[in-house]
Structure formats: structure tokens, C-alpha cells
Amino acid sequence: MERIDKILAHHGFGSRKDVKKLLRDEQVSVNGKFIYAPGFQLDISQDEVIVSGEKIRLQHDVYIMMNKCADVVCANKDGEHRTVFDLLDDSLRHKFLGGELHCMGRLDIDTEGLLILTTDGKLTHRLLSPKTHAPKTYAVGLRDSLTEEEKQKYTEKFTNGFYIAPEGNEAGFDAQPSEIKFEVRSEGESLPPGVQAALSPTPPSPKGQSPLKSPKIDCLLTIYEGKFHQVKRMFAQLGNEVIYLKRVKMGELELDPTIPLGGYRELTEEEIVLLQS
């Protein structure tokens, strides 16, 4: 049960003072009856609320899947770059009952792909906890092409885990075993949705001078940690360089290939269950 003034204030109808005016002006009804008391309690899971003639969708937590584009940062504010929150519609730029939207894990400014924005802090904490070992899969493009012998060497390294050297102020660490797959375009095999999204052509530059092209994807890598610049540092340790990186899967949830770069949509109920599993 929640107060009507709190619910409407957190669903974008202004301050509680603004909500009180709506109530006085008979603009708010619950289950067909006008409500005047700001402290009126209702059940957001089953009560119907209509404001100014429109039915309001009540929700405690919000879950958004974004196909993050490059050149935006995973931060609320940044004095130099656009943020992922700048890509959101104004209807999502307010506090919800579950709190404010935040990023469920971060992606580097030059990394694309699956990013979850949510108000569900408990789920975020659980999935990002080192104890959870939640898998995250990335489509990776490498500077140097690999021979079959080199692919075998990489596979052994990633399968067994190996030491990663320090980077800047970041300490070195022992990378845990991970899974690498080089054959991402197998003949006769349908690609997973997230990989299909990674292989979609990138849009032209703002000046419109670059033709559409598919990114260079050499492998898929699934890791079970979330260290600073981990994927890039793992390949750098082996003498290669990541030139393209896109997260395509978190846990059992895959990136929807129909979401354009920089686009987003709310998760379905089924997808929320996948994320929580």
C-alpha cells in the first residue's frame, strides 16, 4: 500500500503540492471514485488510477534494456560526454517508487551493447556481487587475426584462467576461467539474438560520410567477474588488442536485436524473470 500523493509525485506528476491541486480539482480517481485526501492509501498491484481522464500504469520498479552506443558514458552526469540517461525520454527522468534509475553495471565509453537500467537496487546488488558469478557475454573484435594454433592457445588460457597485469592505478589480478568461442558465424546454425545484434551494421557517422558496415567479430567471450577493463586487459595480456566490444548477454538475458544502437525498451515480464533467475 502506498499514499496517492507519493505515487503520483513519483510517476512524474510534479511535486506533492502539484498533486494536491490535482486532487482538489477532481482530476484523480481510484477505482472509479474521486480522491481528495493526499494520504489516501492504495494497492499499486491492483487498484486502477485515472488522472485527468487517462489511466496510469502503476509500477514500483522499472527495468529497461538499452542497446548502448559508443561515445556515451554510464553515469548520471558528465561534463564532457553525453550519458546513457541523456538518451532516455523525459517520461523516465524522474524518481519512481523503487527509487531512481541506475545502471546495472557499467560499460566503457567505447563499448556497445546490453545495458540494464533499473530502480531495483536489490537485484543490481545481487547480480553484481562477486559471490554471484553472473555470466556476461561479449562479442569481441580483435586487431590481429589469429591462426588456428593461436586460437587453441587463447582457448587454453581463457579456459584455465591467467594472471592479468596492473593497468594504471588498477592492481593486477588472477582472471577466473572463462569461455571463448571463435566460430560465431556457423553455417546452418541460427545466431543467438544478442550476437545477431552485434553483427548488425553500424550506423553512419553524424556527418553521413561513413557507409554502413558490419563490425569485425572474432569471438564471443563469457566472463564471470567484472574487473576494470577486464576483457580488454585479458586480450592485451596475450599481445592482442580489442578494437570492438559489445555486451550481448547478461545471465540468461540476451540483447534484443531489434533495438537500434542508442535505443531502449522496457523488459517484458518474462525477461525480468530471466534476469532474476
Side-chain angles (χ1 to χ4, degrees):
M1 304 296 289
E2 297 281 359
R3 289 170 57 106
I4 186 67
D5 59 350
K6 178 181 178 181
I7 289 172
L8 296 186
H10 286 189
H11 277 74
F13 288 94
S15 65
R16 295 203 183 190
K17 182 178 179 181
D18 296 326
V19 172
K20 286 181 180 179
K21 186 176 186 307
L22 286 173
L23 294 169
R24 288 197 305 269
D25 294 345
E26 295 189 338
Q27 295 298 306
V28 182
S29 67
V30 177
N31 300 330
K33 296 182 180 180
F34 287 119
I35 301 301
Y36 303 94
F40 178 84
Q41 300 271 330
L42 60 89
D43 184 345
I44 65 172
S45 67
Q46 58 183 357
D47 289 335
E48 180 183 76
V49 178
I50 295 178
V51 179
S52 302
E54 292 189 17
K55 182 178 178 180
I56 305 304
R57 179 186 169 200
L58 302 178
Q59 53 191 141
H60 187 276
D61 284 306
V62 179
Y63 304 85
I64 293 172
M65 176 190 293
M66 176 178 286
N67 185 2
K68 178 189 172 298
C69 53
D71 299 325
V72 295
V73 296
C74 295
N76 292 84
K77 294 181 180 179
D78 188 277
E80 186 177 352
H81 303 96
R82 287 192 307 160
T83 77
V84 293
F85 295 95
D86 292 329
L87 303 178
L88 298 177
D89 186 76
D90 288 342
S91 64
L92 293 169
R93 297 188 187 189
H94 61 84
K95 189 174 182 179
F96 293 85
L97 289 173
E100 295 183 350
L101 282 170
H102 61 268
C103 297
M104 186 180 285
R106 295 174 180 269
L107 293 175
D108 295 339
I109 187 171
D110 58 349
T111 301
E112 299 177 353
L114 178 58
L115 181 69
I116 302 299
L117 303 172
T118 184
T119 57
D120 191 339
K122 290 183 179 179
L123 180 60
T124 297
H125 177 74
R126 182 169 67 82
L127 288 181
L128 298 186
S129 171
K131 298 179 181 178
T132 304
H133 302 294
K136 295 169 283 290
T137 301
Y138 295 83
V140 183
L142 297 173
R143 178 195 62 203
D144 302 328
S145 298
L146 302 176
T147 65
E148 291 303 316
E149 183 178 347
E150 288 172 326
K151 289 179 182 179
Q152 183 61 35
K153 173 188 171 183
Y154 277 47
T155 300
E156 291 176 0
K157 281 284 189 179
F158 283 107
T159 300
N160 295 323
F162 56 103
Y163 178 74
I164 304 299
E167 179 182 306
N169 295 325
E170 297 293 325
F173 66 96
D174 290 316
Q176 299 301 308
S178 53
E179 301 164 14
I180 191 167
K181 179 181 180 182
F182 287 101
E183 302 302 326
V184 296
R185 302 173 188 258
S186 300
E187 290 293 334
E189 178 183 345
S190 59
L191 292 170
V195 182
Q196 182 181 335
L199 294 175
S200 299
T202 55
S205 67
K207 296 182 180 179
Q209 297 176 346
S210 300
L212 292 176
K213 60 179 181 180
S214 296
K216 176 178 181 285
I217 305 296
D218 292 286
C219 62
L220 297 177
L221 178 66
T222 300
I223 60 175
Y224 298 86
E225 319 166 80
K227 302 290 187 181
F228 179 74
H229 288 174
Q230 180 168 344
V231 174
K232 296 174 182 177
R233 292 168 70 185
M234 292 174 85
F235 283 100
Q237 187 71 33
L238 299 179
N240 214 323
E241 180 184 350
V242 173
I243 60 173
Y244 177 80
L245 189 61
K246 181 162 192 164
R247 184 159 64 194
V248 297
K249 190 174 182 180
M250 291 179 65
E252 296 301 316
L253 180 65
E254 294 198 53
L255 176 63
D256 180 350
T258 66
I259 301 177
L261 277 173
Y264 62 90
R265 65 165 173 78
E266 289 195 51
L267 294 184
T268 65
E269 292 294 332
E270 293 77 11
E271 289 171 332
I272 294 173
V273 171
L274 279 179
L275 197 60
Q276 295 170 334
S277 62

